[in-house]
Amino acid sequence: MVGLRIIGGSLRRRKLQYSGDLRTRPMKDRVREAVFNLLGTQVTGSQAIDLFAGTGALGLEAISRGATHATFIERHLPTAKLIEQTPPPSVSPTACESSSADAFGWTTAYSAGVRTPR
């Protein structure tokens, strides 16, 4: 396993699981930090959707910074299973939802109302 971490919020410095699979290219810490600095307090109380989730770092970062729920969409089944094992024990099991699906198909179904938001 390669070391990744959550960079801010209540879960700061928690390590994330990452298999090192070349099909998964994790978002760099600095990029995630810049994204969440731009979003600021808008994350608090929101619901995050992490498309092409890979390590799940983006969704878990949102949870760490106050999002109430994160949905992780990852097509590669072994990677999706790893995401399911990743949330730290301090995160409510109902706060994270993982789906092994194609992100484009999932968003099409979601926007068509086939899948209802939480």
Side-chain angles (χ1 to χ4, degrees):
M1 297 289 166
V2 176
L4 287 174
R5 63 188 174 94
I6 295 174
I7 54 172
S10 64
L11 301 173
R12 186 178 184 165
R13 295 188 193 103
R14 293 279 171 96
K15 297 211 176 193
L16 300 175
Q17 294 183 15
Y18 169 51
S19 65
D21 190 324
L22 296 177
R23 288 174 266 202
T24 305
R25 295 184 310 261
M27 186 181 286
K28 294 185 184 293
D29 288 358
R30 296 174 93 180
V31 175
R32 265 187 290 128
E33 184 175 24
V35 167
F36 284 96
N37 284 343
L38 287 170
L39 293 172
T41 59
Q42 294 178 41
V43 177
T44 305
S46 68
Q47 296 182 19
I49 300 175
D50 190 347
L51 299 173
F52 310 100
T55 62
L58 198 64
L60 288 170
E61 191 76 47
I63 292 283
S64 179
R65 294 174 184 247
T68 58
H69 184 266
T71 301
F72 303 91
I73 310 301
E74 174 55 49
R75 181 174 66 175
H76 186 241
L77 185 59
T79 303
K81 291 205 177 288
L82 192 59
I83 292 170
E84 290 174 3
Q85 299 168 6
T86 298
S90 59
V91 173
S92 166
T94 60
C96 297
E97 174 186 4
S98 180
S99 180
S100 179
D102 175 72
F104 296 112
W106 188 90
T107 54
T108 300
Y110 186 88
S111 64
V114 174
R115 186 183 185 297
T116 56
R118 282 185 134 241

